């Protein structure tokens, strides 16, 4: 803004639109420019205007002389505008979309509470705790148990309005500190959406979410230390709506979303949303809520289901699931809310180009007038329009501040986006109709939907993208602002779904946010509203299975939209969170609709930075309580993170372990891949709750784990146990760290990964196969281990030969010990798996002349009683056309002990010397 448009008494935030983050950045730049020492006691609120900021420099700058002060503050609104939607609508690129991770929320197993560390919350005699009751009796049981502990319960009344609630809390605070809050209304089902009218919907959300906002805003200064807590409770099904059956009582999503955001604002306090399955139990739920208060600071989202504890993490999944998606063509009827938003306009453009369909565009702004000269000026010269708006406001006698100017400019920005959407549809051969409607007005929405039916007969795809976001810490977030942000999404969702109830759409896409998935400081309203949408979409699997429901948790967009404004890009960068390139984000909706039949919640974004940081260094686990006698490869389980899973550490010394000393490549000990699998199985068995291993899947040997100079290193396996249908799948990774010269941070490498599938019953024995005969042209161990690098503990082949189109390897017996000091039994039959590797390797050398190192295995099955002997063991290798192998290890009766499917190697570039490879070639000759 030029100087003549800036008065010195303009308020930095109210008049200039400079948020507190940008103010902090501005003062940092001013201190640097004028060499002003940092003052830890400085409060930005003491410098609210430009005049105050200038006085700050005059008072504190050494040897101050008038000089141009950094124009950071004055230029902030300018920066916001220039980062707004461009005149040329951005275009999408599916190739760019595929480069962005596609993640879905999944239930992950938490350790039992008796393995978790104390939360630090005492619930001791004399403590004062607020309880907002449910109607089903859980609160009565909870109050009884709290009072038996000597806790003074301050009971809230659901009938109080916000003002009465705030006054009562203020009176209680005056009497003494309040330690915590139990919030239970979401344990009650509000009823199915079809049975509610708008007043009932709003009343249910007022009790569950808006009174929670009032309560925690009043207690913001109290619930701030490690001994204080907020524990909310829901009935989403025990898995927070991420089970196959979908969410029950989905309005609880608003409580969870708020709770997650409050946890971000109050990271020192214990904050949890505890989810239950539907039941009539009261005492058990009360006991569980107290137990969750007393232990495990590692998870905010906790679900209790079938006697186990769960949380929610993210897993990468492809969009295609083998089922056909929705055909998008000229007959497809779209209803799009928030259609005047820059992001929504660009997505509408993409959908129109792909389909040429019928689009009904809904927004609170009127249909734009293409002949409006101000709109034309916006498209050609925004600075000129900014000046025109300023002069117009001043001529009208108004105080023309940059905030007012930018607010008016934003109106033209939305009008331009709306016009772009309309023109894009028509340019693609489709039909576009604009509906000016307030989504919070149920009657208006019903009329708009009726007009859509009258014109098009139906809605095939509902895209609910309307929403706004205003970040502000809870104490600064006024009720009107909370209502505005929350209601647009939630009331809009209800009014649309109710109006479409008689002719439901084929697909619904709801725009959510990473704030809904993780919570975010300053966004309690936005997080709560988005999680209502996510749980509403989840519940469609139960109530309307014919509707394909998709909720998209967007990260902040680059290039277009709200997050390009102000200091948000800098904040995102500092938090390690990638913004979403427009070219990658725009085609996501089209892909999700057309590339498969997946439904549910999906998160679209790159790096997630601090959002994936664990709340507790040990993930809430008490490592001393975890027995680690599963085997020699898991010395200590050290953590149980929500995102990282169960983590272990095992120091290994090549001088002490034969499996290292006898597995050297060019003299350097290398951790065998089969030992990595052994570590995975041992760790997962410790944490899998007594389930039986069914199979090891999708094994990847990514990088060799070397012990340079024969020095000890620490093995770090991890296992995150995810619920998948009726199974439990452990996503495992083996990490190594090395301190390198000249680097302050260690080098971290993921060496192996695999997924271990567990079930309730032991896996059934595989069918028997024909026992191989003895080969007449077998190659013996002496010749094999002149080629192979393995020492005695890994010289598992006694001989190998060809039998038709397959290779056979006989297990050597006896074999020396594989492990050093530990005599614990091995869980994954590593030398039988190694027998598979080496026999396949003999085939490769004998038929190609080159040695291969393990690269991947599609699936490994191990019999529960598989062992090296006594008795003969043979590996039978069947090559596939794609160069990989299927391998069975059988005993003398032909019973399968180990089966590998899709075992593949990476061939070394240099061929095996003729003198060494000749015996193997002769044995494998056809």
């Amino acid at each position: 803004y030029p100087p003549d448009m800036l008065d010195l008494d303009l308020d930095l935030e109210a008049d200039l639109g400079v948020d507190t983050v940008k103010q902090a950045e501005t003062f940092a730049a001013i201190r640097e420019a004028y060499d002003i020492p940092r003052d830890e006691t400085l409060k930005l609120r003491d410098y609210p205007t430009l005049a105050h900021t200038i006085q700050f420099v005059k008072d504190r700058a050494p040897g101050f002389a008038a000089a141009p002060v950094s124009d950071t503050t004055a230029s902030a609104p300018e920066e916001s505008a220039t980062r707004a939607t461009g005149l040329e609508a951005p275009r999408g690129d599916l190739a760019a979309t595929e480069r962005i991770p596609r993640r879905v929320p999944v239930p992950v197993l938490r350790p039992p509470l008796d393995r978790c560390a104390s939360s630090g919350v005492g619930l001791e005699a004399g403590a004062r705790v607020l309880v907002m009751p449910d109607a089903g009796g859980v609160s009565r049981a909870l109050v009884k148990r709290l009072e038996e502990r000597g806790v003074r319960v301050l009971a809230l009344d659901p009938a109080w309005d916000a003002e009465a609630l705030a006054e009562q809390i203020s009176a209680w605070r005056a009497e003494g500190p309040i330690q915590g809050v139990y919030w239970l209304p979401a344990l009650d089902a509000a009823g199915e959406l079809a049975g509610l009218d708008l007043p009932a919907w709003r009343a249910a959300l007022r009790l569950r979410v808006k009174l929670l906002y009032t309560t925690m805003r009043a207690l913001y200064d109290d619930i701030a230390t490690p001994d204080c807590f907020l524990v909310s409770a829901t009935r989403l099904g025990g898995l927070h709506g991420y089970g196959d059956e979908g969410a029950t009582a989905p309005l609880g999503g608003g409580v969870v979303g708020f709770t997650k955001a409050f946890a971000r604002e109050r990271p020192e306090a214990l904050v949890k949303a505890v989810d239950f399955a539907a039941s009539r139990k009261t005492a058990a739920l009360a006991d569980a809520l107290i137990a969750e208060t007393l232990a495990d600071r590692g998870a905010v989202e906790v679900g209790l289901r079938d006697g186990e504890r769960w949380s929610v993490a993210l897993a990468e999944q492809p969009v295609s699931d083998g089922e056909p998606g929705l055909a998008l063509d000229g007959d497809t009827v779209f209803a799009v809310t928030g259609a005047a938003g820059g992001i929504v306009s660009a997505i509408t453009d993409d959908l129109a180009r792909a389909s040429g369909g019928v689009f009904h565009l809904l927004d609170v702004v009127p249909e734009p007038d293409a002949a409006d000269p101000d709109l034309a000026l916006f498209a050609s010269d925004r600075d000129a329009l900014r000046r025109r708006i300023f002069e117009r406001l001043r001529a009208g006698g108004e105080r023309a501040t940059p905030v007012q100017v930018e607010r008016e400019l934003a109106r033209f920005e939305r009008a331009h986006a709306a016009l772009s959407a309309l023109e894009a549809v028509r340019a693609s051969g489709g039909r576009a109709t604009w509906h000016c409607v307030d989504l919070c007005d149920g009657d208006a929405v019903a009329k708009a939907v009726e007009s859509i039916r009258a014109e098009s007969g139906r809605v095939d795809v509902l895209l609910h993208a309307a929403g706004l976001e205003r970040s502000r810490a809870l104490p600064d977030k006024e009720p009107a602002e909370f209502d505005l942000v929350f209601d647009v999404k939630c009331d809009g969702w209800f009014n649309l779904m109710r109006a479409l109830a008689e002719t439901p759409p084929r697909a619904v896409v709801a725009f959510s946010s990473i704030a809904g998935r993780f919570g975010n400081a300053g966004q309690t309203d936005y997080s709560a509203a988005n999680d209502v949408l996510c749980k509403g979409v989840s519940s469609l699997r139960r109530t309307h299975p014919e509707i394909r429901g998709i909720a998209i948790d967007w990260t902040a967009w680059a290039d277009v939209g709200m997050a390009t404004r102000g200091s948000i890009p800098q904040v995102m960068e500092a938090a390690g969170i990638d913004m979403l390139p427009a070219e990658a984000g725009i085609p996501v909706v089209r892909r999700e609709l057309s590339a498969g039949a997946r439904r549910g919640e999906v998160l679209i974004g790159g790096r997630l930075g601090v959002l994936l940081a664990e709340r507790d260094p040990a993930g809430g686990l008490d490592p001393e309580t975890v027995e680690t006698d599963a085997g020699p490869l898991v010395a200590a389980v050290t953590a149980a993170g929500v995102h990282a899973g169960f983590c272990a550490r095992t120091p290994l010394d090549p001088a002490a372990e034969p499996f290292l000393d006898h597995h050297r490549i060019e003299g350097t000990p290398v951790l065998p891949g089969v030992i990595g699998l052994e570590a995975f199985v041992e760790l997962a068995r410790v944490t899998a709750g007594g389930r039986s291993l069914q199979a090891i899947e999708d094994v990847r040997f990514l990088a060799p784990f070397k012990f340079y100079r024969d020095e000890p290193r620490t093995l770090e396996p991890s296992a995150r146990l995810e619920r998948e249908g009726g199974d439990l799948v452990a996503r495992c990774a083996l990490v190594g760290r090395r301190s390198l010269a000249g680097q302050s941070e260690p080098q971290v490498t993921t060496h192996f990964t695999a997924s271990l599938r567990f079930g309730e019953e032991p896996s059934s024995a595989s069918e028997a196969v024909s026992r191989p005969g003895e080969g007449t042209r077998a190659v013996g161990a002496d010749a094999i281990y002149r080629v192979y690098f393995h020492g005695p503990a890994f010289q598992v082949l006694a001989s190998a030969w060809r039998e038709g189109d397959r290779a056979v390897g006989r297990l050597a017996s006896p074999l020396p010990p594989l492990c050093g000091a530990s005599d614990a039994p091995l869980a994954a039959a590593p030398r039988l798996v190694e027998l598979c590797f080496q026999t396949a390797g003999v085939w490769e050398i004998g038929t190609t002349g080159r040695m291969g190192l393990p690269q991947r295995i599609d699936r490994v099955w191990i019999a529960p009683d598989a062992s090296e002997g006594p008795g003969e063991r043979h590996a039978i290798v069947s090559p596939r056309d794609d160069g990989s192998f299927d391998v069975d290890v059988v005993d003398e009766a032909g019973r399968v002990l180990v089966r590998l499917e899709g075992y593949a190697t990476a061939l070394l570039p240099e061929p095996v010397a003729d003198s060494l490879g000749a015996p193997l070639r002769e044995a494998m000759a056809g």
Side-chain angles (χ1 to χ4, degrees), residues 81-106:
T82 56
R83 284 205 275 285
T85 306
L87 302 183
E88 292 292 330
R91 296 283 171 81
D93 178 2
L94 273 175
T97 303
E98 297 306 319
R99 291 193 290 270
I100 301 297
R102 180 187 186 275
R103 303 175 176 101
V104 299
V106 293

Side-chain angles (χ1 to χ4, degrees), residues 515-773:
R517 171 82 299 276
F518 295 105
N520 194 27
Q523 295 184 335
T524 48
D525 42 12
Y526 196 61
S527 177
N530 280 310
D531 219 7
V532 168
L533 297 188
C534 290
K535 301 311 187 283
V537 165
S538 172
S539 73
L540 292 177
R541 300 201 291 273
R542 181 178 52 82
T543 61
H544 292 282
E546 75 280 7
I547 300 177
R548 185 174 169 205
I550 301 168
I552 301 179
D553 297 331
W554 300 106
T555 189
W557 286 55
D559 315 315
V560 59
M562 293 183 293
T564 61
R565 305 175 188 279
S567 58
I568 293 177
Q570 293 91 335
V571 172
M572 298 286 285
E573 177 63 29
I577 302 172
D578 288 336
M579 298 185 75
L580 180 66
E583 65 169 356
I586 288 168
V588 164
V589 174
R590 169 164 52 101
R591 181 189 70 177
E592 293 298 318
L593 288 169
S594 61
R598 291 285 179 92
R599 58 183 67 201
E601 189 175 340
V602 57
L603 187 145
I604 304 298
R607 293 179 307 143
L608 295 175
V610 298
L611 297 177
L612 296 181
E614 302 291 350
R615 286 182 65 84
D616 179 78
L621 185 74
D622 180 358
E624 297 298 323
T625 66
V626 183
E627 297 180 3
T628 55
D629 57 356
L633 274 302
V634 177
V637 178
T638 58
V642 171
H643 306 290
F646 293 86
C647 302
R649 291 174 60 86
T650 300
L652 294 177
D653 186 350
E657 298 293 352
F659 63 74
L660 293 176
D661 188 37
H662 297 182
H663 193 264
R664 295 173 178 267
I665 297 178
E666 296 182 349
T668 298
V670 178
L671 186 76
V674 296
I675 297 299
L677 294 184
E678 173 69 26
F680 290 161
V681 174
E682 289 181 15
L683 177 58
R685 279 185 169 171
V686 167
T687 57
R691 293 174 175 85
S692 298
L693 178 65
Q694 305 290 312
I696 306 172
E697 301 169 344
D698 194 25
V699 181
R700 293 292 185 269
F701 302 107
L702 303 174
F705 192 111
K706 297 183 178 182
F707 290 74
Y708 299 95
R709 295 183 294 275
D710 274 41
E711 294 175 351
R713 292 186 66 185
T714 297
L715 208 64
E716 296 185 34
S718 65
R720 193 179 76 180
L721 283 77
E722 302 174 4
R723 188 181 178 109
E724 189 175 286
D727 293 341
L728 189 69
V729 178
R731 309 294 183 191
C732 298
L734 192 148
V735 166
R737 302 173 193 272
R738 294 181 61 213
S739 297
L740 302 179
Q743 296 187 13
S744 58
E745 297 294 327
Q747 179 191 70
V748 180
T749 304
T750 300
H751 296 274
F752 308 153
T753 61
S755 295
L756 279 60
R757 186 171 297 275
F758 289 85
E760 296 297 335
E761 300 295 331
S763 56
S764 58
S766 182
E767 70 277 7
V769 300
S770 59
R771 184 178 181 275

Side-chain angles (χ1 to χ4, degrees), residues 323-596:
E323 297 182 43
L326 192 66
L328 305 178
D329 55 30
D331 293 329
T332 306
V333 180
F334 298 85
V336 182
T337 72
I343 291 171
V344 186
S345 174
I347 290 172
T348 300
D349 183 347
D350 181 77
L351 291 171
R353 290 172 182 276
S355 67
V358 179
F359 286 79
H360 294 273
L361 306 177
L362 288 73
D363 204 293
V364 72
V365 305
E367 182 173 358
D369 179 4
D372 184 343
D374 285 344
L375 189 55
L377 188 58
F378 175 88
S380 62
D381 190 342
R382 294 188 190 187
D383 286 340
L385 178 59
R386 185 178 284 112
R387 168 65 69 176
R388 178 184 291 180
I389 293 170
F390 178 82
E391 297 294 349
R392 185 182 298 156
L393 289 171
R394 192 163 60 178
E398 297 184 52
R399 186 166 179 262
T401 68
V403 163
Q404 291 171 301
V405 173
E406 293 301 320
R407 187 176 295 125
E408 187 69 6
L409 193 69
R411 184 172 67 83
F412 289 107
E413 181 181 337
R414 292 187 65 81
H416 176 266
L419 185 61
S420 297
L422 288 164
E423 292 176 344
V425 174
R426 292 162 183 162
S428 300
R431 301 199 312 274
T433 303
W434 190 265
H435 303 265
C436 179
V437 58
D438 179 358
L439 293 180
C440 295
D441 184 333
D443 291 338
V445 172
K447 289 179 182 177
V449 170
E450 188 56 39
S451 70
I452 292 172
R453 284 201 194 94
E455 180 179 337
S456 303
R458 68 187 189 279
V459 171
D460 294 311
V461 177
L462 170 62
L463 182 61
H464 182 36
L468 54 92
E469 183 278 324
R470 294 181 180 177
S471 292
R472 215 181 299 272
L474 192 55
D476 301 324
K477 190 174 289 292
E478 296 295 332
E481 180 177 279
F482 189 97
D483 290 347
L484 177 65
V485 172
F486 185 82
D487 291 349
V488 169
K489 282 184 173 287
C490 296
D491 286 359
W493 167 260
F494 175 84
N495 290 330
L496 288 161
M497 296 303 291
R498 183 174 174 82
L500 289 165
E502 294 182 6
T503 55
R506 296 164 63 193
V508 173
V509 181
F511 276 25
S512 179
S513 163
I514 56 173
R517 171 82 299 276
F518 295 105
N520 194 27
Q523 295 184 335
T524 48
D525 42 12
Y526 196 61
S527 177
N530 280 310
D531 219 7
V532 168
L533 297 188
C534 290
K535 301 311 187 283
V537 165
S538 172
S539 73
L540 292 177
R541 300 201 291 273
R542 181 178 52 82
T543 61
H544 292 282
E546 75 280 7
I547 300 177
R548 185 174 169 205
I550 301 168
I552 301 179
D553 297 331
W554 300 106
T555 189
W557 286 55
D559 315 315
V560 59
M562 293 183 293
T564 61
R565 305 175 188 279
S567 58
I568 293 177
Q570 293 91 335
V571 172
M572 298 286 285
E573 177 63 29
I577 302 172
D578 288 336
M579 298 185 75
L580 180 66
E583 65 169 356
I586 288 168
V588 164
V589 174
R590 169 164 52 101
R591 181 189 70 177
E592 293 298 318
L593 288 169
S594 61

Side-chain angles (χ1 to χ4, degrees), residues 123-127 129 131 139-155 290:
L123 287 181
E124 297 172 351
V129 171
V131 175
S139 59
R140 290 193 296 272
L142 177 63
V143 168
K144 179 181 177 182
R145 281 154 176 75
L146 290 172
E147 290 178 340
E148 288 172 350
R149 301 175 67 96
V151 174
R152 182 184 173 191
V153 176
L154 307 175
I290 290 177

